[in-house]
Amino acid sequence: MALDAGLVGRSYPPSVVYEVGREKIGEFARALGDPDPVYVDPEAARAAGHPDVIAPPTFAIVLSLGAGEVVLADPEVSIDYSRVVHGEQRFVHHRPIRAGDRLVATASVEAVRSVAGNDMLTTRVDLTTEDGEPVCRTSSMLVARGTA
Amino acid sequence: MSAAVRYADVEVGTELPEQVFPVTRADLVRYAGASGDFNVIHWNERVATEVGLPGVIAHGMLTAGLAARAVTAWAGDPGALVEYSVRFSRPVVVPDDGVGAEVVVRGRVAALQEDQRVRVDLTVTSGGEKVLSLARAVVVLS
């Protein structure tokens, strides 16, 4: 079933606050096997000019995955999640995410396309601090493979 | 918060050191927990083959995260990576054979931009096949 082009631009209510913890950042960096001390050592992070440990550049996926669920749960977004694969991913960082950040995620539909029976849905997630400072923007394109 | 690489020292064509990352089933379990992506195709061989995959595959964002490591290790400052985009063109199959898969990341400076920014284009392969396409990072150099 093709996605309705009228969905483009639809925005969803902001998420609850996500509090970024040192331990979660460290866990994510270890999962990537990344030995950079700015992810785990507050002293090393401060020496590099950051207020606290910073997150790897792809850490924002943790928040955007959760925030994007509100789009997939929209009854008017007719996408078969069982046939979905991740097609593309983009991050634009205004500054690194860091421990202590209290972030709010706002999801919106950036684009819909249908090509050769496959539906493609691009969800944008804007991450800001709860005071409104822009931190990161993510765009995730999901492909629902057609059954034809 | 500044990169170890100077803008004045790079040109279009400057190559990043090649990086090779092993990926095992244990790495997939660890990444699932850390990222919150528990899709069964990343840990269950039965389900993966039932949906037509050759076997358990790595999370696309794990591959993308490893590729980003090659960029931040070169730049010397993870905060210098300000834009990053990838297209997942082919899955990384991770066999349960005690060895796993290898992700090979190569990169080169493809464009010099304003404000000491450069665009790095990445070539990311596994088993000789390209697994990411249009993998690009914008990095602020010193």
Side-chain angles (χ1 to χ4, degrees):
Chain A
M1 179 150 73
L3 286 162
D4 181 357
L7 292 166
V8 175
R10 178 174 293 193
S11 190
Y12 296 84
S15 71
V16 296
V17 170
Y18 180 104
E19 189 165 325
V20 180
R22 287 178 180 169
E23 292 80 5
K24 188 66 193 178
I25 288 176
E27 179 190 19
F28 193 85
R30 278 192 299 279
L32 292 174
D34 197 323
D36 198 315
V38 296
Y39 301 137
V40 290
D41 179 353
E43 287 304 316
R46 278 192 277 273
H50 305 287
D52 205 320
V53 294
I54 63 168
T58 58
F59 177 81
I61 199 68
V62 174
L63 285 87
S64 73
L65 266 178
E69 282 174 13
V70 70
V71 181
L72 298 172
D74 183 337
E76 289 179 46
V77 176
S78 52
I79 197 161
D80 180 357
Y81 192 62
S82 70
R83 306 192 64 81
V84 157
V85 293
H86 199 171
E88 296 175 14
Q89 182 64 42
R90 177 174 167 80
F91 301 91
V92 177
H93 292 281
H94 302 287
R95 66 156 170 83
I97 293 174
R98 58 185 180 239
D101 273 339
R102 291 174 53 82
L103 300 178
V104 173
T106 306
S108 57
V109 177
E110 188 168 86
V112 297
R113 266 193 324 144
S114 287
V115 176
N118 297 326
D119 283 339
M120 299 171 193
L121 169 71
T122 306
T123 299
R124 168 175 164 167
V125 174
D126 287 284
L127 300 176
T128 67
T129 65
E130 61 183 339
D131 300 327
E133 179 198 358
V135 176
C136 180
R137 186 178 85 225
T138 72
S139 295
S140 309
M141 196 270 274
L142 300 178
V143 185
R145 290 173 295 165
T147 46
Chain B
M1 197 152 74
S2 61
V5 180
R6 292 173 57 223
Y7 184 77
D9 292 340
V10 302
E11 56 189 13
V12 171
T14 297
E15 294 196 357
L16 279 60
E18 178 181 297
Q19 298 250 24
V20 180
F21 301 105
V23 179
T24 66
R25 288 286 179 91
D27 295 323
L28 303 190
V29 173
R30 193 173 289 116
Y31 188 80
S35 68
D37 181 349
F38 294 100
N39 190 326
V40 285
I41 59 174
H42 303 307
W43 51 269
N44 185 314
E45 186 92 23
R46 174 178 55 81
V47 172
T49 51
E50 271 173 17
V51 299
L53 293 165
V56 164
I57 64 168
H59 305 74
M61 279 310 304
L62 171 56
T63 306
L66 295 173
R69 269 185 65 186
V71 179
T72 55
W74 170 71
D77 174 16
L81 197 167
V82 291
E83 289 181 32
Y84 186 48
S85 55
V86 297
R87 178 178 292 176
F88 304 104
S89 49
R90 183 183 282 269
V92 174
V93 181
V94 181
D96 182 25
D97 59 1
V99 180
E102 262 185 4
V103 171
V104 180
V105 184
R106 290 186 212 91
R108 62 185 282 279
V109 174
L112 304 178
Q113 302 177 339
E114 291 181 343
D115 302 326
Q116 304 190 108
R117 293 175 176 223
V118 300
R119 194 187 89 213
V120 174
D121 287 3
L122 299 168
T123 303
V124 184
T125 59
S126 184
E129 306 262 22
K130 244 181 155 178
V131 292
L132 300 181
S133 58
L134 296 176
R136 294 174 170 181
V138 175
V139 186
V140 184
L141 299 180
S142 296

